Each structure stands twice: as structure tokens, then as C-alpha cells.
Amino acid sequence: MTLSPPLPASRYDPLSQLLHWVTAVAVVVAFALGPERFGRLMREGLDPATRSDIVWHESLGVLVFVLTLLRLLWVLLRPAAPRVEMARWMHALARAGHGVLWLLLLGLPVTAVLALGSEGHPLTLLGGLRIDRMPAIADAAVAGWADWGEVHGFLGDLMIWLAGLHAAAAIVHHVVLKDGVLRSMLPGR
Ligand code: HEM
Ligand code: HEM
């Protein structure tokens, strides 16, 4: 009797799907709440804890960071990701796109904390949690390397453009190419 190898899964496992969709919603809501003119408001003496958009933006951003670390750990442990048949260039492009999305999911929270720390602004989260000063960042050389608030805002815009392209590609796969790419990230058997 010959044993045939197990068929490759056609969907991501439920935990990968859950983490993907919770992260996607958190990123989009955080983007919509991205605080405009933050530096000016701080110079005018505003306590960011009094602004629910800022508190929600920062809390969702921290959630995205924590979920991304958990996801990356899960990527090492989970069953192999599904592999839908497609042209080699398309596969390479999808992998590159995912790579940049992973980098942005980590880079956005990191640049935000660098911005707050280097400018001496508090990090204010839901539940009244706050960190008023981050001397380890303020006193480090990295604080002077860039206007981290500008870098963060730029990366936030880039993330939304790239996530939009990524979502559009998933829809083209579903509607035009009629392959299983979008279904692989949706629940079902
Ligand atoms: C999913 C992650 C995030 C996205 C997509 C995102 C997106 C953005 C965008 C687009 C802006 C610019 C808003 C504008 O000028 O109109 C912004 C500003 C800002 N974000 Fe985030 N953000 C994220 C995570 C975070 C986190 C984790 C924090 C805090 C720890 C944070 C704190 C801030 C602050 C303080 C500003 C104002 C920066 C400045 O102008 O100096 N963000 N964000
Ligand atoms: C901010 C929003 C989003 C981010 C940051 C994001 C990020 C990612 C990442 C990092 C992966 C790889 C997942 C893994 O290996 O576990 C992925 C896969 C996937 N995403 Fe998203 N995504 C977003 C929104 C969306 C939306 C709106 C759709 C659909 C309309 C979508 C459809 C998919 C599909 C179908 C896959 C699997 C495709 C493949 O393996 O090539 N994503 N996404």
C-alpha cells in the first residue's frame, strides 16, 4: 500500500484568519483616526488623554503591534500556508507585498513611539494608561535622526495605499482569475 502525501490546505488556519482580519480592521480604524496637527496641539498644551481620537489611535496601534508579534510567532508554528497555483511573477509580487506589509505593521508603532519619545509627548492609552516620558528615547542619538512624526505619518499613508492594492489584488483574483486566493483567507471548509 502506498501512502499519498496529505493534500495542501486550501485555506489559512482559523487563527491566521482571525489575526489577519482583526489587524486589518484595527489598521483601517487607526488610520481614520490619525491625529492631524498633533505637534501644534501639543505645543498649545493639550493633554492628549482628553482626546478620544488620539487615545483610540494609539491604543489600536499598540494592539496592531502586539497582534503582529503574535502573528509572526504563529507563522513559525502554524501549518504551512496554502499555495494557490499562479504565475511565478505573481507569486513573487504577492510575497514582496506581504513582506512590506509585515515591515509596516512593525514600523508604524515603532516610529510612533520614537516620535512621542523624542519630542517628549506622552503615550496615552485606553483605561487611563499613560507613559509621560521616555528618557531612553529622548536621550538617545536615534531621537535626532529624523522627524519621527513625519516618518510615521508617511508610513501610515503608505500602509493604506499598499493595503488597498493588496485588497484590490485579492478581489481581482476572486472575480477575474477565479482562483482560491481570496477564499484562502475566508472561513469555511
Ligand atoms: C496601525 C498602525 C498605525 C497607523 C496606520 C497610523 C497612521 C497614522 C497617520 C496616517 C498619521 C498622520 C495623521 C495626519 O497627519 O493626518 C499618524 C499620526 C500619529 N500617530 Fe499613528 N498610526 C498607527 C499607529 C500608531 C501608534 C501605535 C501610535 C502611538 C504609540 C501612534 C501615534 C501617532 C501620533 C502621536 C501621531 C502624530 C504624529 C505627529 O504629527 O507628530 N500611531 N498615524
Ligand atoms: C490593513 C489591511 C491589511 C493588511 C495589513 C493585510 C496584511 C496581510 C498579510 C501580512 C498577509 C499574509 C498573511 C499570513 O501569511 O498569515 C495577508 C494575506 C492575505 N490578505 Fe491581507 N491585509 C489587509 C487587508 C486585506 C483585505 C481588505 C483583503 C481582502 C479584500 C485581504 C486579503 C488577503 C488574502 C486573500 C490573503 C492571502 C493571500 C495570499 O496568501 O497571497 N487583506 N494580508
Side-chain angles (χ1 to χ4, degrees):
M1 191 178 79
T2 50
L3 282 178
S4 46
L7 285 173
S10 61
R11 292 181 199 267
Y12 280 85
D13 60 280
L15 182 57
S16 293
Q17 293 184 349
L18 180 72
L19 292 171
H20 173 269
W21 291 112
V22 174
T23 302
V25 171
V27 166
V28 172
V29 178
F31 178 80
L33 296 174
E36 286 174 54
R37 301 187 308 275
F38 181 79
R40 208 180 79 193
L41 292 171
M42 293 298 104
R43 282 190 294 281
E44 287 169 3
L46 176 95
D47 179 354
T50 61
R51 283 275 301 265
S52 65
D53 57 341
I54 296 177
V55 171
W56 272 96
H57 176 83
E58 296 187 356
S59 303
L60 286 169
V62 170
L63 175 71
V64 166
F65 187 62
V66 173
L67 290 180
T68 302
L69 293 181
L70 286 176
R71 267 175 98 183
L72 286 171
L73 188 65
W74 180 233
V75 167
L76 298 176
L77 304 172
R78 72 184 181 187
R83 223 187 136 87
V84 177
E85 282 300 316
M86 66 178 84
R88 199 187 283 214
W89 67 265
M90 218 185 258
H91 216 279
L93 202 62
R95 273 183 75 94
H98 289 178
V100 179
L101 285 171
W102 283 118
L103 285 178
L104 288 171
L105 288 168
L106 295 171
L108 272 163
V110 169
T111 50
V113 169
L114 286 173
L116 293 173
S118 58
E119 287 160 26
H121 303 316
L123 169 70
T124 47
L125 301 177
L126 291 168
L129 291 173
R130 62 188 289 153
I131 300 176
D132 280 310
R133 302 239 153 252
M134 299 180 222
I137 295 174
D139 300 339
V142 69
W145 288 355
D147 178 337
W148 290 110
E150 288 274 317
V151 175
H152 175 73
F154 171 76
L155 293 185
D157 289 344
L158 186 63
M159 161 70 102
I160 284 302
W161 279 103
L162 199 63
L165 277 176
H166 163 80
I171 290 165
V172 168
H173 272 280
H174 191 67
V175 176
V176 182
L177 303 174
K178 299 191 195 307
D179 58 17
V181 168
L182 179 57
R183 237 175 303 125
S184 72
M185 207 29 113
L186 296 175
R189 291 174 66 80

